[in-house]
Amino acid sequence: MLVPRIKAHGRAFAHIAAYHPELTALRRDLHAHPEIGFEEHYTAQRVVEALKVCGVDEIHTGIGKTGVVAVIHGSQRQSGRMIGLRADMDALPMTEHNDFAWKSLKPGMMHGCGHDGHTAMLVGAARYLAETRQFDGTAVLIFQPGEEGFAGAKAMIEDGLFDRFPVQSVYAMHNWPQMRPGTVGINPGPMMAAADRITIEITGKGGHGAHPYQTVDPVLVSAHIITALQSIVSRNVRAIDSAVVSLCAMQAGDMGAFSVMPGKATLMGTVRTFNPEVQDLVERRLHEVCSGVALGLGAAAHVNYERIYPATINSRQEARFAAEVAQKLLGHDHVDRDLEPSMGAEDFSFMLQVKPGAYLRLGQGAENGVGSCFLHNSRYDFNDDVLPLGAALHAGLIEQGMPLASAD
């Protein structure tokens, strides 16, 4: 029998720890059967089956294509309060290089970000809340599809998520291998950056590589653009602000034709920012720099700038509350209330644009290597030791956010 190695306080943690083996079995089954965004049919089915066993009051499927929402009513409903908890369900289109028994059974798909663990933790919270119902209000548990680049949160919202379930606040958490198990991190502001996609199409004039004077070389133009774009952050963005401009891919010419100069080249990359004003500045300067450099070398450049995910910004009151819940569970020394933001992105940001709430990081990186491999790595695996803790943290947000009225 699995025994939780993490120490935590409170009734919820002790209760949930009793079914740690079942949560681990569910998590590993989900890991073995990964599904990418909006294709989480098996995952949604397993979630629904588990929720039925948990005894939740309502189960709603097909929200935002493959999303699932469970509703649990407290033993009291005098407050009229409703709080949402969200877990993402999708996997990544990448090949797993682990060799344990629950490794991916689907070539080219892998739970490389721990969403299998997030789903299992929310199922654990559902079971506890349905069994105890020690809160005054309604808990809404959101199992979201398509976080990895598909904007599944936005799809659920557009499908009426918060119209049908008008929560007053919403919370989510993500495992973080760079933090120790038994720790939680949060801050009352930006947690994750906005993620934008940039595509730069450069048009020159192709020709023979032996006679470059007869051409306009788009590869040379690309090299100058790549270098020039790094000046945006260093020379246009204030030092006290944060921004990243990364060109991550380039396509030009034919690798089998070493002496043929192409007529076109394409660059692909990403921009990361926290502040919308900085985001606007970077977008404007990208257009100006690319056009100017290309024009100066006799070419033309077209920039397609796509805003994919907004920044994930916690609301101050909810972040403070979530930190207090975590502190009661783990103790003061195990909660970082001023966690450094990440330049990664998260589509929970769409929910925080509509509702106040908070996004937390749950430590999972152990000294023995379990859970320590960073996210999106082909050898990553979720650390099952933290399952009861994450579930108890979810439950605490509900119980302490909607406490039972005192009996007179």
Side-chain angles (χ1 to χ4, degrees), residues 34-36 90-95 108-113 148 376:
E35 296 169 305
I36 61 173
D90 59 322
L92 287 157
M94 59 185 291
T95 299
M109 294 187 194
M110 175 192 176
H111 268 296
C113 203
E148 296 287 357
H376 294 216

Side-chain angles (χ1 to χ4, degrees), residues 90-137:
D90 59 322
L92 287 157
M94 59 185 291
T95 299
E96 181 163 7
H97 291 138
N98 289 311
D99 56 4
F100 41 62
W102 55 92
K103 68 180 180 181
S104 173
L105 297 175
K106 295 185 177 182
M109 294 187 194
M110 175 192 176
H111 268 296
C113 203
H115 296 184
D116 48 347
H118 301 168
T119 300
M121 290 190 300
L122 193 55
V123 167
R127 178 172 172 179
Y128 167 79
L129 292 170
E131 289 177 349
T132 59
R133 300 182 184 267
Q134 295 297 297
F135 59 97
D136 179 2

Side-chain angles (χ1 to χ4, degrees), residues 69-72 79-86 122 129 135-142 162 165-172 318 321 325 355-358 393-403:
V69 174
V71 176
I72 305 171
S79 70
R81 291 275 297 161
M82 185 179 288
I83 292 178
L85 305 173
R86 171 272 206 173
L122 193 55
L129 292 170
F135 59 97
D136 179 2
T138 301
V140 177
L141 280 55
I142 304 164
F162 293 134
F165 312 99
V167 300
Q168 282 84 39
S169 56
V170 62
Y171 299 88
E318 283 69 26
F321 164 70
V325 172
K355 298 288 182 177
L393 183 52
H394 275 308
L397 293 167
I398 296 298
E399 289 186 332
Q400 295 172 48
M402 299 183 290

Side-chain angles (χ1 to χ4, degrees), residues 34-68:
E35 296 169 305
I36 61 173
F38 300 131
E39 296 181 8
E40 304 95 338
H41 301 292
Y42 177 85
T43 305
Q45 178 186 344
R46 290 289 284 115
V47 167
V48 169
E49 291 170 354
L51 292 172
K52 288 179 178 177
V53 173
C54 292
V56 303
D57 298 302
E58 303 172 25
I59 301 175
H60 303 263
T61 60
I63 302 175
K65 297 183 179 179
T66 47
V68 178

Side-chain angles (χ1 to χ4, degrees), residues 128-373:
Y128 167 79
L129 292 170
E131 289 177 349
T132 59
R133 300 182 184 267
Q134 295 297 297
F135 59 97
D136 179 2
T138 301
V140 177
L141 280 55
I142 304 164
F143 295 86
Q144 181 209 302
E147 190 278 327
E148 296 287 357
F150 293 88
K154 184 178 180 182
M156 293 190 80
I157 293 168
E158 291 176 344
D159 205 12
L161 174 66
F162 293 134
D163 296 323
R164 297 170 63 179
F165 312 99
V167 300
Q168 282 84 39
S169 56
V170 62
Y171 299 88
M173 66 183 74
H174 202 295
N175 76 94
W176 204 246
Q178 292 179 312
M179 293 169 53
R180 292 181 294 105
T183 61
V184 167
I186 193 170
N187 71 55
M191 285 289 289
M192 305 285 277
D196 301 335
R197 179 190 294 124
I198 50 174
T199 305
I200 306 168
E201 296 178 350
I202 300 160
T203 302
K205 180 182 177 182
H208 200 298
H211 305 281
Y213 59 91
Q214 296 178 344
T215 73
V216 176
D217 183 2
V219 176
L220 177 65
V221 176
S222 297
H224 281 275
I225 286 177
I226 291 169
T227 300
L229 289 184
Q230 301 312 308
S231 70
I232 294 177
V233 174
S234 65
R235 292 297 178 267
N236 299 134
V237 177
R238 295 189 314 165
I240 59 174
D241 291 325
S242 298
V244 170
V245 177
S246 292
L247 280 305
C248 303
M250 176 178 174
Q251 185 177 58
D254 186 337
M255 294 297 289
F258 73 95
S259 64
V260 177
M261 194 167 288
K264 293 185 178 181
T266 302
L267 302 174
M268 180 77 75
T270 187
V271 172
R272 303 298 171 105
T273 55
F274 293 116
N275 188 318
E277 293 180 357
V278 174
Q279 186 180 33
D280 291 340
L281 168 66
V282 173
E283 180 177 1
R284 176 174 58 81
R285 288 297 293 145
L286 268 162
H287 286 278
E288 293 171 348
V289 171
C290 289
S291 296
V293 170
L295 181 63
L297 295 171
H302 172 75
V303 178
N304 183 32
Y305 194 104
E306 301 172 83
R307 300 194 177 197
I308 307 299
Y309 287 173
T312 303
I313 302 177
N314 289 340
S315 49
R316 186 169 297 275
Q317 179 177 334
E318 283 69 26
R320 183 166 51 247
F321 164 70
E324 291 170 356
V325 172
Q327 188 170 310
K328 288 181 181 179
L329 183 65
L330 292 166
H332 179 272
D333 293 339
H334 297 279
V335 178
D336 184 349
R337 290 173 173 256
D338 191 25
L339 187 70
E340 180 179 287
S342 167
M343 298 308 287
E346 161 67 66
D347 82 338
F348 184 63
S349 55
F350 288 108
M351 295 192 182
L352 292 180
Q353 285 189 326
V354 180
K355 298 288 182 177
Y359 180 82
L360 306 92
R361 288 195 197 140
L362 181 68
Q364 81 141 24
E367 292 180 0
N368 63 2
V370 176
S372 296
C373 193

